[in-house]
Amino acid sequence: MWKNLLLTFITLVLCVFIFYVTLFQLDPMGEQKYVAFLSFGASTLFGLWSLFTLIFFFGAELMSGYKLGNRSFIIATRRGFLISGLAGTLITLQFLNLLAWPEAILLALFFGLMEWIFLTGKYY
């Protein structure tokens, strides 16, 4: 448990640092625009992924009161990835002015159905 907590927290701290550097020291309109957009997207995706993994796994451990196993960590990681993918997609569509309520609802439904497919799997 401590190893998972430490690695997830280190990932979150690194992503927050990269996000900070991207926002305040890179020029998105100049020569660094490709690096700025790539680091912004990557730090947002991986930062949200580690944040939601912390919330889903370690929040569940705190609420349940006992240690959860590696299988629960893998499930929390998958859920964190799906939620961060949804948030990243919504942010990207909002930046491109392509997001309205129907698109947001359809995307949330799509990611919810993906999680439902994983939950109803026979061997998982």
Side-chain angles (χ1 to χ4, degrees), residues 4-72:
N4 291 340
L5 175 65
L6 182 65
L7 291 174
T8 307
F9 189 71
I10 287 172
T11 304
L12 179 63
V13 169
L14 284 174
C15 288
V16 167
F17 176 72
I18 291 169
F19 189 76
Y20 175 80
V21 169
T22 301
L23 285 181
F24 293 111
Q25 295 186 5
L26 292 179
D27 182 20
M29 298 303 211
E31 295 177 1
Q32 302 169 337
K33 68 179 176 181
Y34 296 117
V35 174
F37 288 131
L38 181 66
S39 64
F40 178 78
S43 64
T44 302
L45 176 71
F46 291 117
L48 287 175
W49 188 359
S50 60
L51 177 70
F52 284 118
T53 301
L54 283 171
I55 291 170
F56 289 140
F57 182 69
F58 299 106
E61 274 193 348
L62 289 174
M63 296 299 270
S64 67
Y66 59 92
K67 291 184 180 182
L68 300 175
N70 285 335
R71 184 171 184 263
S72 296

Side-chain angles (χ1 to χ4, degrees), residues 78-100:
R78 183 191 70 224
R79 287 181 180 164
F81 179 71
L82 288 173
I83 295 294
S84 66
L86 173 64
T89 305
L90 291 175
I91 289 169
T92 303
L93 289 175
Q94 183 65 33
F95 278 152
L96 298 173
N97 290 328
L98 297 173
L99 185 67

Side-chain angles (χ1 to χ4, degrees), residues 82 105-120:
L82 288 173
I105 292 170
L106 286 173
L107 279 171
L109 184 64
F110 172 71
F111 281 99
L113 288 174
M114 283 178 55
E115 176 62 23
W116 185 53
I117 288 169
F118 282 119
L119 287 176
T120 59

